[in-house]
Amino acid sequence: MAELAAAEQMRLRDLRRMRQIRYRKKKENYMHRLEDETRQLRGEIEQLEQRRRSVSAAVPAGESAWSVAAEYFRLFQYGVREPASASTSALSSPVEPQPSVQLDFLRSSMTPDVVFNTERGVEAMLRTWSCISRWFAGVKMELERLDKDASGSLVATTITTVTITEHTLRVVFPHLSPSDGRSRSAGNAASFLAGRLVGQTIAMRGFTRFEWDGAYCRMTSVLSQSDMLTPILRLVDSLEGVSCLFEGALITPDFRLKSV
């Protein structure tokens, strides 16, 4: 009887010891996971801080060209949002600029005939931004760096992110829509491309070049382009498909509108 009791006590001690070992192991794993997540967060914070310092250091106080360029990216970071209706205005973000604010900024900081890619005038600039914002979902333009080149122009390095939706395919790539007049092979190719694109979010590296008129203290030219070709090629996985995609599109491989 005593032997059974001793054996039971030993079994209970072993059981408690195993539980303690599992508990310590679980606690150690939890601590390691916290340390890894903390290191990752610190790395992300450092990257953001370096980006902030690079942009801040590039903006000398008292130079209007720099402040205008910085304000341009602040106001157009998320493209152009159509004015909210009375029923939805209370739900809109208070920090999201409305087209009237953006147009007022353009009129006060750009020359009336400002060159914007292939267009001229501040209304054309806003119209182009409005098209991009309506055609794509989740438009976001992120400023990475702002520098002055050898010619004196301000050059901004950017990353623009957009999501391709069914609406994008209908408007920007109308030749991918079903058509009775298309051959069966062409229809299959168009359907394949559409299937590869819809629902995809792409990030495009690009730049924007600003030309400043010191006499009038306004921008005379804003030239912008982003590399849409590279992420599209990754999705489509063939140069032939990319060629077919952009051949009938309303946008170019460098993310410029063919017509507005």
Side-chain angles (χ1 to χ4, degrees):
M1 195 68 179
E3 292 179 355
L4 289 176
E8 180 63 17
Q9 289 180 351
M10 184 175 295
R11 187 185 70 82
L12 292 175
R13 282 198 300 269
D14 291 340
L15 183 60
R16 284 194 296 269
R17 186 166 57 251
M18 292 301 298
R19 286 176 177 172
Q20 290 174 351
I21 292 174
R22 284 197 297 267
Y23 174 76
R24 285 196 296 268
K25 184 66 175 177
K26 185 177 180 180
K27 190 174 181 180
E28 289 175 0
N29 291 338
Y30 177 71
M31 293 299 296
H32 290 323
R33 188 165 65 251
L34 281 180
E35 290 174 357
D36 292 340
E37 292 176 354
T38 301
R39 280 194 295 269
Q40 182 178 352
L41 285 174
R42 285 175 178 170
E44 293 175 357
I45 291 172
E46 179 61 25
Q47 289 179 355
L48 291 173
E49 183 63 22
Q50 288 177 357
R51 185 177 300 174
R52 185 193 66 80
R53 286 196 298 265
S54 66
V55 173
S56 298
V59 183
E63 277 198 58
S64 296
W66 296 86
S67 59
V68 167
E71 183 68 359
Y72 174 81
F73 286 105
R74 187 187 74 83
L75 288 177
F76 288 91
Q77 180 180 9
Y78 298 103
V80 171
R81 296 293 181 265
E82 297 301 325
S85 63
S87 60
T88 61
S89 58
L91 301 177
S92 61
S93 171
V95 298
E96 187 174 88
Q98 294 297 313
S100 59
V101 176
Q102 294 166 318
L103 182 57
D104 289 343
F105 163 75
L106 294 177
R107 285 173 173 168
S108 65
S109 59
M110 310 284 165
T111 57
D113 61 343
V114 60
V115 176
F116 183 65
N117 294 338
T118 60
E119 301 286 329
R120 279 187 176 272
V122 295
E123 285 78 10
M125 290 183 69
L126 193 65
R127 187 166 62 247
T128 299
W129 269 110
S130 180
C131 286
I132 291 175
S133 302
R134 285 185 285 107
W135 293 353
F136 296 89
V139 175
K140 182 179 181 181
M141 177 177 59
E142 184 177 0
L143 173 63
E144 284 204 312
R145 289 186 59 86
L146 186 60
D147 301 291
K148 180 177 286 189
D149 65 9
S151 67
S153 301
L154 293 184
V155 180
T157 305
T158 60
I159 296 180
T160 302
T161 306
V162 299
T163 298
I164 301 172
T165 65
E166 293 281 1
H167 177 71
T168 308
L169 296 182
R170 288 194 300 270
V171 178
V172 183
F173 307 101
H175 56 300
L176 299 185
S177 301
S179 174
D180 294 336
R182 183 187 294 141
S183 67
R184 183 173 181 179
S185 60
N188 290 339
S191 178
F192 171 79
L193 291 175
R196 284 294 186 97
L197 296 177
V198 69
Q200 296 291 335
T201 298
I202 60 174
M204 302 170 286
R205 303 196 69 86
F207 69 87
T208 301
R209 181 183 299 274
F210 298 91
E211 299 289 345
W212 178 255
D213 188 325
Y216 291 95
C217 294
R218 296 192 176 199
M219 294 292 183
T220 60
S221 175
V222 180
L223 303 179
S224 179
Q225 68 179 52
S226 297
D227 177 19
M228 192 179 191
L229 179 64
T230 299
I232 290 294
L233 180 58
R234 292 196 189 102
L235 293 175
V236 175
D237 200 27
S238 79
L239 291 175
E240 182 180 358
V242 170
S243 176
C244 174
L245 179 68
F246 284 107
E247 184 176 358
L250 299 185
I251 206 160
T252 65
D254 57 1
F255 204 60
R256 296 188 182 189
L257 272 60
K258 291 182 179 178
S259 61
V260 180

